[in-house]
Amino acid sequence: MYLKEIEILGFKSFADKTVITLDNDVTCVVGPNGSGKSNVVDAIRWVLGEQSVKSLRGDNSMSDFIFSGSKNRNPLNVASVMLTFDNSDHYVNMPYNEISVKRRLYRNGENEYFINGEKVRLKDVTELFLDTGIGKSSFSIIGQGDIGKIFSSSNLERRSILEEAAGILKYKTRREEALRKLDKTDDNIERINDIIGELEQRVEPLRIQSEK
């Protein structure tokens, strides 16, 4: 599996539709300061579900990432990024040789996510790439200064990186989700028992009234 193509429109400095094809001849993207190299990395993290404006070098809200216009260009009302992966080896357990993931953001803050053209939830995108090394915070996307952060991070933070590399993060995440559901079920049972207790107190008076 490998990243085959990046399509960007309206995200940050990409006012025009830009398609970056990553084939065997491409090893890196170079350019002068301010040419948008970092914006390409931000676009990849963004479409994979990044929710932190600060992590994407934004100021206030997600709408900051929509092209805001220039002297010669009007601002846009929507930003979209689509990643296309070659999955001919079926590294991701889906019956497709190609997998496309797309995120679309509107000026009002509404987000949409798509997998192979079908509208999905953010959770579906996150689960699709668990333990593949392609997630928004995975070890395959390392920005400037991140290497130092890894070495200086806490044991728990470093452990999460190793768990994803080892391929067990998916199961740990599912376990934590199952435990949250069990806790929620316990809370519901407790509330139901409270209601039953209140109703049981009313049974005897109602029985007496019924006899009368």
Side-chain angles (χ1 to χ4, degrees), residues 101-178:
V101 179
K102 183 177 182 178
R103 181 176 180 178
R104 185 184 293 152
L105 170 67
Y106 296 94
R107 185 68 69 178
N108 62 5
E110 179 185 356
N111 280 275
E112 292 178 338
Y113 298 88
F114 302 87
I115 296 178
N116 283 8
E118 182 179 348
K119 195 171 183 178
V120 296
R121 304 166 299 172
L122 169 60
K123 180 180 178 181
D124 297 320
V125 175
T126 303
E127 290 184 347
L128 176 66
F129 293 113
L130 272 179
D131 290 337
T132 63
I134 308 175
K136 62 183 177 64
S137 57
S138 70
F139 57 88
S140 63
I141 304 175
I142 301 177
Q144 289 180 333
D146 286 348
I147 297 293
K149 289 181 182 178
I150 292 174
F151 285 111
S152 62
S153 61
S154 66
N155 292 336
L156 289 176
E157 292 172 336
R158 196 176 301 117
R159 178 176 178 176
S160 66
I161 297 172
L162 296 175
E163 285 176 344
E164 181 165 359
I168 63 174
L169 184 60
K170 174 171 59 178
Y171 304 103
K172 183 178 180 180
T173 302
R174 289 177 179 175
R175 176 179 179 272
E176 291 173 351
E177 184 178 352

Side-chain angles (χ1 to χ4, degrees), residues 37-57:
K37 302 185 300 297
S38 297
N39 288 347
V40 175
V41 178
D42 290 342
I44 295 174
R45 293 183 61 186
W46 181 74
V47 72
L48 292 175
E50 179 61 69
Q51 300 298 306
S52 171
V53 175
K54 184 178 179 181
S55 296
L56 296 172
R57 300 178 300 123

